[in-house]
Amino acid sequence: MYKRMFYNSLLIKVFFVALLLPSFSKAGESFGFFEGPNAYTYTRDGLKSHIESATSRVSNEFNPEICSRPEHKELMERLKKYQPSVDRIKQSVVSGSYKNTTYEGLVDFLDTFGPRISGSVALEKSIDYLQDAFESSQGVDIMWTQPVDVPKWERGEESARLVTSSNRSLAMFSLGQSVPTPSNGIIADVVVFNDYKSLAENIANVRDRIVVCNFIGVEGDILDTKNTGYPQVADNGGLAILYKSAATFSLYTPHTRRANLYYNGVSKEIPIAYLTTEDTALLSRIYARGEQITMDLKIFNKYHNDVTESRNLFGDWVGLALPEEHVILSAHTDSWDVGQGAQDDGVGIYLVVQTMNLLSELGLRPRRTIRSALWTAEEYGFNGSATYIKEYYRTAEQMEKVTLAMEADYACLANGGFIFHANYQGNPLRPHNLMTHEELGCIMTSINEMLGSDVTLGLVYESDSYGTDLDRFIDLDIPVVSLLGDDGRYFWYHHTDSDTVSALNPLQLDYCLASWASATYILADFAYSTERSGGSPSLTYNFMTLISISALFINSMILT
Amino acid sequence: MYKRMFYNSLLIKVFFVALLLPSFSKAGESFGFFEGPNAYTYTRDGLKSHIESATSRVSNEFNPEICSRPEHKELMERLKKYQPSVDRIKQSVVSGSYKNTTYEGLVDFLDTFGPRISGSVALEKSIDYLQDAFESSQGVDIMWTQPVDVPKWERGEESARLVTSSNRSLAMFSLGQSVPTPSNGIIADVVVFNDYKSLAENIANVRDRIVVCNFIGVEGDILDTKNTGYPQVADNGGLAILYKSAATFSLYTPHTRRANLYYNGVSKEIPIAYLTTEDTALLSRIYARGEQITMDLKIFNKYHNDVTESRNLFGDWVGLALPEEHVILSAHTDSWDVGQGAQDDGVGIYLVVQTMNLLSELGLRPRRTIRSALWTAEEYGFNGSATYIKEYYRTAEQMEKVTLAMEADYACLANGGFIFHANYQGNPLRPHNLMTHEELGCIMTSINEMLGSDVTLGLVYESDSYGTDLDRFIDLDIPVVSLLGDDGRYFWYHHTDSDTVSALNPLQLDYCLASWASATYILADFAYSTERSGGSPSLTYNFMTLISISALFINSMILT
């Protein structure tokens, strides 16, 4: 449905002021602003070592010296013109009317709907609520939804109990869509492996046993689920498999995830769950001492392979000069059925909503369309974004319209900076990108510099694998940008009962919004040197802008 | 029972070498050795701010400049003579045969017995096991146990469930010896208070309600249970009371404690439990929005006021020169019924066992007797140490024999240093102490300096309130020394399911043992300037030592 188009004359003034003002920016090396609830005081280097050791997702830092090379001089010079816009965004968020509002809006949302697992009533109600938020936002001209088939699965009673020596109960979460155990459970001896190699070498020992894996992937990579021995165990008569939680720190905190990370492409499905890191270590020690371990395992999940309908939610804020081109600004609405889905991905949802609201309130309508997108069922394997891509990026003509995809699905524990990727792998549907990988890195570096060391740690990382919806865009050769909000603790909270409002940091949420809104505006507005409209970028830019502004004024007057 | 006395001739050589060698020590200001599992890299100042903000227990740092004053010159000079003994202890623990053995012994103990709540079979079996360890230790000449009446209480099924809007279940631990709910539970509306003042002002609202307190004591002091409003709620018709967990950080980690902190001196007992910090915050937010909250609370504990028998375990290693005088080296055997009681107080137990073994192996038998003591039922209110004191410190004659009491019941997450107290309040049974408060502070400062900045952060704090068995000794005017092993995370693990082997740091355990064994030896050996034997301390010292060594040689030869 169409909403009445809105245009604020403030935009024109500010926009032209932005083009005239000189830039000023300074990258800070250390930080003392991490004083909010649940936060530590970090240095930039301290944060780097924390996040780099936490996951392999963040390992390559973009070298900012590249941006001083002659070939990027003109690009870096033109970016400086956005300094006044960034300053206005920052002022509004850090000390103006938006201060603390991201936290407040998000808390209301999380407390009202709680966890929002795919297939649940809570998820659909939360999408209704967000639809209202899109509807009432001045940053959305066109709003619509897209139906998506999503899994319906429900956690039932589940327990893992040692029935030898002690009658000890172990904390556990079965993985989403795990097959259930028989209705009287599985009582069997346990075999424990400490790495993939020993599992592979002793695979005959798994027959008729419950298999405990006191390891995650290869070499401790918590995101790797390829080399975990699942197919071998399932094919060799293992009755069930219990992995070490993928949490990087635990206070006896069980963790969940999707079973299809393991089931995918394997013929046999056996019950699968995560134990706490404490308990897999305990079982490993007991097993190493030669004690027999017998376990009573019950997983009474429901609706194993059921499918139901959910929705992606979209809101286009039509661009001034290139309305047919869009930048995706996204997050996902669903969460696991534990905690409140606060960092994963309540934070991302509210960064989308607030960015739309803030940019429109400041009159910062960019040249391109901003397409706010809230994907459903990300947690089961990116169902929402995959459905979107299938419909919207089928043809070369469609693919020409998408400039870049942004998603904030990597927490906001600290406002660390950005992760990006823009390599071009030769997708025939996509003739070229508006930017090279290096250019996008320099743009993100420049945005950090304009934001300043008081609101961001200013890091820029490169990654071609996010474990989020962004991976589907990378597959299509579409450039991507992610917020870097992990402070090394994301996998303390991720997919656990502790991912609640208590894990939010109001101050950092403000800083994340300042970064995310600035990035959204600049990435959607910037005159890339390879724009299809051709000619001198700055000339095209101003000319197209004037045309669009005129058109919008007329539009606005007609509709009012 | 008496064990065969043992004497190692190495002692004589080393002892006299120790008297002759000059001291060398250097206090370090920053540390880089926190590289073990689960540990952070701390600076000395970083650790100070962490632990000082964590609890009020550690707030006054002892000023080491006091020790440079003329009146302490002679004491500080004489302490330097212990440097070679400290070096030997350190070498043995950091790079010699004791390296890693504290961790290994403790892991076996914890995995074998698990949690050891007062009144349980596990506790009694673990005391049997430790009795064997005392029996076989060369650092114990005389071993005995003392019967102690202790509470027998058992956690039953328990749950807290919201029955309005969502059917959400809240993680919860009832407190030890909480009265149960009726057998069909309590279903009632909830009232939430965010501080003591609002509770007191709105006490009429508690009638027939379940009361949730989203606060701990006054001004966030997690150890204060005096100003929590329990008596008011119980007296004004509250049906049950659910407090915010006393954890300083939570990953949805419930926490337990003893109910008698609240019941004590109050006529009416109502069911009492701790919720997670996340859930009391959630309930507080929901309540503030004016939503009705109804809860179904079930606490089906057993054996509410039952009493059973347990034991304190003692091992005297008889002193060379002043065998009638003793220094208490202690910890407690019991834990709560959750986790494995690793930091609380498995660490303390193994620091006692290892100190006995290490000092005897190195032949470092001090002038006074070291009385290793493992108290039972500390968690319910210091039953073991109270029973000991009643029997052993009834008269002035008995009280003259105790020099000082040491207990390690404050974790070993990092080897921070010591906490001490030696004020003399005028107990008529205790004519005087062998040391003043200042002198004890200087002794502990000197021990840290001798240990060096590679094994200890070197902090010395003063406190007259420990929340452990040491408080009973302070009440009697007996000087006390505690290990400072908190790195700011102790109340992350304390009394939760996360207090397991996984919370142990093998390297820090070695460092803690180096400090604890050095302190034990020096405090039991030192010639205090006010020793009752009178005369020149150093003369007395050498003369008595020679006498004792001769006596022990004769004894040893007779018994062999």
Side-chain angles (χ1 to χ4, degrees), chain A residues 110-127:
Chain A
L110 296 173
D111 286 350
T112 304
F113 302 104
R116 306 166 301 282
I117 191 171
S118 162
S120 69
V121 173
L123 173 60
E124 296 311 304
K125 282 190 179 169
S126 76
I127 297 172

PDB file of all heavy atoms in Angstrom, chain A residues 110-127:
ATOM      1  N   LEU A 110      10.389  -6.175  23.401  1.00  0.00           N
ATOM      2  CA  LEU A 110      10.845  -7.481  23.921  1.00  0.00           C
ATOM      3  C   LEU A 110       9.954  -7.961  25.066  1.00  0.00           C
ATOM      4  O   LEU A 110       9.625  -9.152  25.151  1.00  0.00           O
ATOM      5  CB  LEU A 110      12.297  -7.394  24.389  1.00  0.00           C
ATOM      6  CG  LEU A 110      13.339  -7.091  23.306  1.00  0.00           C
ATOM      7  CD1 LEU A 110      14.705  -6.856  23.948  1.00  0.00           C
ATOM      8  CD2 LEU A 110      13.424  -8.216  22.287  1.00  0.00           C
ATOM      9  N   ASP A 111       9.582  -7.048  25.949  1.00  0.00           N
ATOM     10  CA  ASP A 111       8.733  -7.449  27.079  1.00  0.00           C
ATOM     11  C   ASP A 111       7.328  -7.821  26.616  1.00  0.00           C
ATOM     12  O   ASP A 111       6.668  -8.657  27.230  1.00  0.00           O
ATOM     13  CB  ASP A 111       8.656  -6.325  28.119  1.00  0.00           C
ATOM     14  CG  ASP A 111       9.938  -6.200  28.932  1.00  0.00           C
ATOM     15  OD1 ASP A 111      10.804  -7.096  28.817  1.00  0.00           O
ATOM     16  OD2 ASP A 111      10.074  -5.221  29.676  1.00  0.00           O
ATOM     17  N   THR A 112       6.863  -7.180  25.541  1.00  0.00           N
ATOM     18  CA  THR A 112       5.514  -7.468  25.049  1.00  0.00           C
ATOM     19  C   THR A 112       5.446  -8.826  24.358  1.00  0.00           C
ATOM     20  O   THR A 112       4.521  -9.608  24.588  1.00  0.00           O
ATOM     21  CB  THR A 112       5.059  -6.365  24.067  1.00  0.00           C
ATOM     22  OG1 THR A 112       5.148  -5.107  24.729  1.00  0.00           O
ATOM     23  CG2 THR A 112       3.623  -6.609  23.595  1.00  0.00           C
ATOM     24  N   PHE A 113       6.440  -9.134  23.529  1.00  0.00           N
ATOM     25  CA  PHE A 113       6.343 -10.354  22.721  1.00  0.00           C
ATOM     26  C   PHE A 113       7.239 -11.496  23.189  1.00  0.00           C
ATOM     27  O   PHE A 113       6.992 -12.655  22.859  1.00  0.00           O
ATOM     28  CB  PHE A 113       6.629 -10.024  21.246  1.00  0.00           C
ATOM     29  CG  PHE A 113       5.686  -8.992  20.708  1.00  0.00           C
ATOM     30  CD1 PHE A 113       6.080  -7.685  20.513  1.00  0.00           C
ATOM     31  CD2 PHE A 113       4.354  -9.331  20.476  1.00  0.00           C
ATOM     32  CE1 PHE A 113       5.190  -6.720  20.068  1.00  0.00           C
ATOM     33  CE2 PHE A 113       3.451  -8.379  20.030  1.00  0.00           C
ATOM     34  CZ  PHE A 113       3.867  -7.062  19.829  1.00  0.00           C
ATOM     35  N   GLY A 114       8.272 -11.206  23.962  1.00  0.00           N
ATOM     36  CA  GLY A 114       9.162 -12.273  24.417  1.00  0.00           C
ATOM     37  C   GLY A 114       9.866 -12.933  23.246  1.00  0.00           C
ATOM     38  O   GLY A 114      10.042 -12.322  22.185  1.00  0.00           O
ATOM     39  N   PRO A 115      10.269 -14.202  23.403  1.00  0.00           N
ATOM     40  CA  PRO A 115      10.948 -14.868  22.288  1.00  0.00           C
ATOM     41  C   PRO A 115       9.968 -15.094  21.140  1.00  0.00           C
ATOM     42  O   PRO A 115       8.763 -15.254  21.354  1.00  0.00           O
ATOM     43  CB  PRO A 115      11.427 -16.179  22.910  1.00  0.00           C
ATOM     44  CG  PRO A 115      10.549 -16.404  24.080  1.00  0.00           C
ATOM     45  CD  PRO A 115      10.130 -15.057  24.580  1.00  0.00           C
ATOM     46  N   ARG A 116      10.491 -15.106  19.923  1.00  0.00           N
ATOM     47  CA  ARG A 116       9.650 -15.078  18.725  1.00  0.00           C
ATOM     48  C   ARG A 116      10.103 -16.152  17.744  1.00  0.00           C
ATOM     49  O   ARG A 116      10.632 -15.870  16.678  1.00  0.00           O
ATOM     50  CB  ARG A 116       9.752 -13.681  18.058  1.00  0.00           C
ATOM     51  CG  ARG A 116       9.445 -12.525  19.006  1.00  0.00           C
ATOM     52  CD  ARG A 116       9.859 -11.162  18.480  1.00  0.00           C
ATOM     53  NE  ARG A 116      11.272 -11.022  18.176  1.00  0.00           N
ATOM     54  CZ  ARG A 116      12.225 -10.837  19.083  1.00  0.00           C
ATOM     55  NH1 ARG A 116      11.916 -10.726  20.374  1.00  0.00           N
ATOM     56  NH2 ARG A 116      13.491 -10.751  18.716  1.00  0.00           N
ATOM     57  N   ILE A 117       9.882 -17.399  18.121  1.00  0.00           N
ATOM     58  CA  ILE A 117      10.351 -18.481  17.253  1.00  0.00           C
ATOM     59  C   ILE A 117       9.455 -18.599  16.024  1.00  0.00           C
ATOM     60  O   ILE A 117       8.238 -18.401  16.109  1.00  0.00           O
ATOM     61  CB  ILE A 117      10.443 -19.821  18.027  1.00  0.00           C
ATOM     62  CG1 ILE A 117      11.187 -20.871  17.185  1.00  0.00           C
ATOM     63  CG2 ILE A 117       9.078 -20.322  18.454  1.00  0.00           C
ATOM     64  CD1 ILE A 117      11.528 -22.147  17.934  1.00  0.00           C
ATOM     65  N   SER A 118      10.087 -18.922  14.922  1.00  0.00           N
ATOM     66  CA  SER A 118       9.382 -19.181  13.657  1.00  0.00           C
ATOM     67  C   SER A 118       8.212 -20.134  13.906  1.00  0.00           C
ATOM     68  O   SER A 118       8.359 -21.153  14.578  1.00  0.00           O
ATOM     69  CB  SER A 118      10.382 -19.828  12.685  1.00  0.00           C
ATOM     70  OG  SER A 118       9.711 -20.476  11.636  1.00  0.00           O
ATOM     71  N   GLY A 119       7.043 -19.784  13.361  1.00  0.00           N
ATOM     72  CA  GLY A 119       5.865 -20.638  13.527  1.00  0.00           C
ATOM     73  C   GLY A 119       5.045 -20.319  14.752  1.00  0.00           C
ATOM     74  O   GLY A 119       3.986 -20.908  14.951  1.00  0.00           O
ATOM     75  N   SER A 120       5.498 -19.360  15.567  1.00  0.00           N
ATOM     76  CA  SER A 120       4.779 -19.058  16.815  1.00  0.00           C
ATOM     77  C   SER A 120       3.809 -17.891  16.646  1.00  0.00           C
ATOM     78  O   SER A 120       3.982 -17.042  15.769  1.00  0.00           O
ATOM     79  CB  SER A 120       5.782 -18.725  17.931  1.00  0.00           C
ATOM     80  OG  SER A 120       6.420 -17.488  17.671  1.00  0.00           O
ATOM     81  N   VAL A 121       2.824 -17.859  17.502  1.00  0.00           N
ATOM     82  CA  VAL A 121       1.889 -16.737  17.556  1.00  0.00           C
ATOM     83  C   VAL A 121       2.637 -15.458  17.933  1.00  0.00           C
ATOM     84  O   VAL A 121       2.369 -14.383  17.388  1.00  0.00           O
ATOM     85  CB  VAL A 121       0.762 -17.031  18.578  1.00  0.00           C
ATOM     86  CG1 VAL A 121      -0.121 -15.805  18.770  1.00  0.00           C
ATOM     87  CG2 VAL A 121      -0.050 -18.240  18.141  1.00  0.00           C
ATOM     88  N   ALA A 122       3.596 -15.581  18.855  1.00  0.00           N
ATOM     89  CA  ALA A 122       4.344 -14.400  19.301  1.00  0.00           C
ATOM     90  C   ALA A 122       5.054 -13.726  18.134  1.00  0.00           C
ATOM     91  O   ALA A 122       5.054 -12.496  18.022  1.00  0.00           O
ATOM     92  CB  ALA A 122       5.359 -14.794  20.371  1.00  0.00           C
ATOM     93  N   LEU A 123       5.645 -14.519  17.250  1.00  0.00           N
ATOM     94  CA  LEU A 123       6.344 -13.933  16.098  1.00  0.00           C
ATOM     95  C   LEU A 123       5.361 -13.170  15.216  1.00  0.00           C
ATOM     96  O   LEU A 123       5.619 -12.022  14.829  1.00  0.00           O
ATOM     97  CB  LEU A 123       7.062 -15.013  15.274  1.00  0.00           C
ATOM     98  CG  LEU A 123       7.692 -14.510  13.956  1.00  0.00           C
ATOM     99  CD1 LEU A 123       8.742 -13.433  14.220  1.00  0.00           C
ATOM    100  CD2 LEU A 123       8.310 -15.665  13.166  1.00  0.00           C
ATOM    101  N   GLU A 124       4.217 -13.787  14.932  1.00  0.00           N
ATOM    102  CA  GLU A 124       3.265 -13.121  14.025  1.00  0.00           C
ATOM    103  C   GLU A 124       2.708 -11.849  14.647  1.00  0.00           C
ATOM    104  O   GLU A 124       2.553 -10.833  13.970  1.00  0.00           O
ATOM    105  CB  GLU A 124       2.141 -14.092  13.619  1.00  0.00           C
ATOM    106  CG  GLU A 124       2.643 -15.293  12.799  1.00  0.00           C
ATOM    107  CD  GLU A 124       3.559 -14.893  11.643  1.00  0.00           C
ATOM    108  OE1 GLU A 124       3.125 -14.082  10.800  1.00  0.00           O
ATOM    109  OE2 GLU A 124       4.713 -15.365  11.585  1.00  0.00           O
ATOM    110  N   LYS A 125       2.450 -11.899  15.950  1.00  0.00           N
ATOM    111  CA  LYS A 125       1.968 -10.684  16.629  1.00  0.00           C
ATOM    112  C   LYS A 125       3.036  -9.595  16.611  1.00  0.00           C
ATOM    113  O   LYS A 125       2.738  -8.410  16.478  1.00  0.00           O
ATOM    114  CB  LYS A 125       1.587 -11.007  18.081  1.00  0.00           C
ATOM    115  CG  LYS A 125       0.232 -11.686  18.208  1.00  0.00           C
ATOM    116  CD  LYS A 125      -0.162 -11.744  19.682  1.00  0.00           C
ATOM    117  CE  LYS A 125      -1.529 -12.382  19.880  1.00  0.00           C
ATOM    118  NZ  LYS A 125      -1.790 -12.682  21.310  1.00  0.00           N
ATOM    119  N   SER A 126       4.290  -9.997  16.775  1.00  0.00           N
ATOM    120  CA  SER A 126       5.371  -8.997  16.777  1.00  0.00           C
ATOM    121  C   SER A 126       5.518  -8.384  15.384  1.00  0.00           C
ATOM    122  O   SER A 126       5.835  -7.200  15.253  1.00  0.00           O
ATOM    123  CB  SER A 126       6.685  -9.610  17.258  1.00  0.00           C
ATOM    124  OG  SER A 126       7.287 -10.413  16.258  1.00  0.00           O
ATOM    125  N   ILE A 127       5.270  -9.173  14.325  1.00  0.00           N
ATOM    126  CA  ILE A 127       5.334  -8.617  12.966  1.00  0.00           C
ATOM    127  C   ILE A 127       4.171  -7.636  12.736  1.00  0.00           C
ATOM    128  O   ILE A 127       4.348  -6.577  12.124  1.00  0.00           O
ATOM    129  CB  ILE A 127       5.362  -9.743  11.902  1.00  0.00           C
ATOM    130  CG1 ILE A 127       6.634 -10.601  12.075  1.00  0.00           C
ATOM    131  CG2 ILE A 127       5.321  -9.168  10.487  1.00  0.00           C
ATOM    132  CD1 ILE A 127       6.692 -11.858  11.208  1.00  0.00           C
TER     133      ILE A 127
END
